[in-house]
């Protein structure tokens, strides 16, 4: 079982969010990106950014930065964030319209509408991952709490028609910052 400290996760998450925000700002149809990740009201809603398009339309996204996907071949969706408190994980609780899942070491971003990816997961979770090799959910021990994540194969994720895959995010973000 991999032990992650909250401090490590925050640093990685902050760096990933900055890269994704810079990448978003480099897109031609984006007017601005507001970082909501440090505002408690939005943290409680599971919102990391508000994106405003040039036509005035706005949307929200949850950004996840993943350092283990290269090693595991999976992305991880947190279903329980604190086992002792029976607190629902970000994947099931976020109010964001979009999931932006950044596989940092591979420089790949998966973008999916939250309502579609969540519905797909709830309908198909029994089909995901090799269940004989991996329990439905895997615990991730933190020194202060135990969270539960569900691994989803990146190969399977890439077959879903509503998931878009972007490569070379860091380079494109660096070109814009």
């Amino acid at each position: 079982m991999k032990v992650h400290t909250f401090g490590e996760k925050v640093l990685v998450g902050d760096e990933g969010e900055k890269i994704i925000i810079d990448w978003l700002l480099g897109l031609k149809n984006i007017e601005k990106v507001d970082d909501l990740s440090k505002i408690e009201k939005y943290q409680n809603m599971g919102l990391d950014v508000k994106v405003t398009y040039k036509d005035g339309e706005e949307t929200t996204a949850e950004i996840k930065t993943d350092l283990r996907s290269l090693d595991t071949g999976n992305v991880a969706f947190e279903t329980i964030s604190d086992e002792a408190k029976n607190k629902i994980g970000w994947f099931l609780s976020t109010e964001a319209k979009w999931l932006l899942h950044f596989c940092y070491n591979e420089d790949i971003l998966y973008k999916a509408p939250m309502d579609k990816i969540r519905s797909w997961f709830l309908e198909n979770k029994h089909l995901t991952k090799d269940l004989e090799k991996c329990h439905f959910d895997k615990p991730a021990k933190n020194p202060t709490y135990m969270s539960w994540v569900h691994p989803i194969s990146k190969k399977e994720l890439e077959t879903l028609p509503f998931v878009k895959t972007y490569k070379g995010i860091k380079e494109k973000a660096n070109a814009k910052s």
Side-chain angles (χ1 to χ4, degrees), residues 1-6 8-9 12 66-69 71-72 76 78 105 138-149:
M1 177 180 342
K2 177 75 175 159
V3 177
H4 300 280
T5 67
F6 185 74
E8 291 169 333
K9 285 184 169 183
V12 169
D66 190 330
L67 290 178
R68 304 244 323 128
S69 61
D71 301 327
T72 65
E78 182 188 70
N105 292 329
K138 294 179 104 175
K141 185 168 179 16
N142 182 298
T144 57
Y145 63 91
M146 179 84 70
S147 61
W148 288 82
V149 297

Side-chain angles (χ1 to χ4, degrees), residues 8-165:
E8 291 169 333
K9 285 184 169 183
V10 168
L11 291 175
V12 169
D14 287 351
E15 183 177 352
E17 286 174 7
K18 180 180 179 343
I19 290 167
I20 298 305
I21 288 170
D22 288 346
W23 175 76
L24 287 167
L25 288 169
L27 299 176
K28 293 177 183 173
N29 63 334
I30 304 292
E31 180 69 30
K32 71 176 183 167
V33 179
D34 295 311
D35 184 352
L36 308 175
S37 65
K38 304 292 186 261
I39 303 169
E40 186 176 0
K41 171 185 171 182
Y42 298 112
Q43 288 174 337
N44 294 336
M45 297 167 69
L47 305 177
D48 287 321
V49 294
K50 179 174 78 171
V51 178
T52 304
Y53 295 93
K54 293 205 178 196
D55 66 3
E57 183 182 339
E58 295 179 341
T59 194
T60 55
E62 171 80 16
I63 299 172
K64 289 297 167 190
T65 303
D66 190 330
L67 290 178
R68 304 244 323 128
S69 61
L70 181 61
D71 301 327
T72 65
N74 303 315
V75 297
F77 295 156
E78 182 188 70
T79 54
I80 298 173
S81 70
D82 187 339
E83 183 181 54
K85 295 179 181 176
N86 200 26
K87 186 176 177 191
I88 300 296
W90 68 263
F91 183 72
L92 300 174
S93 65
T94 183
E95 296 177 37
K97 299 290 184 202
W98 292 93
L99 170 61
L100 301 174
H101 194 102
F102 182 45
C103 298
Y104 184 90
N105 292 329
E106 299 162 279
D107 202 10
I108 296 173
L109 175 70
Y110 296 107
K111 176 185 170 192
M114 269 315 301
D115 60 344
K116 290 185 179 181
I117 191 81
R118 188 181 290 134
S119 292
W120 171 84
F121 172 78
L122 293 173
E123 291 170 15
N124 298 286
K125 63 186 171 189
H126 64 285
L127 301 174
T128 61
K129 195 58 184 127
D130 298 328
L131 295 180
E132 67 277 356
K133 296 180 186 172
C134 171
H135 298 295
F136 162 64
D137 286 306
K138 294 179 104 175
K141 185 168 179 16
N142 182 298
T144 57
Y145 63 91
M146 179 84 70
S147 61
W148 288 82
V149 297
H150 188 92
I152 307 293
S153 162
K154 290 182 300 183
K155 289 180 181 177
E156 182 159 5
L157 194 65
E158 291 170 1
T159 68
L160 300 176
F162 51 83
V163 174
K164 293 192 177 192
T165 304

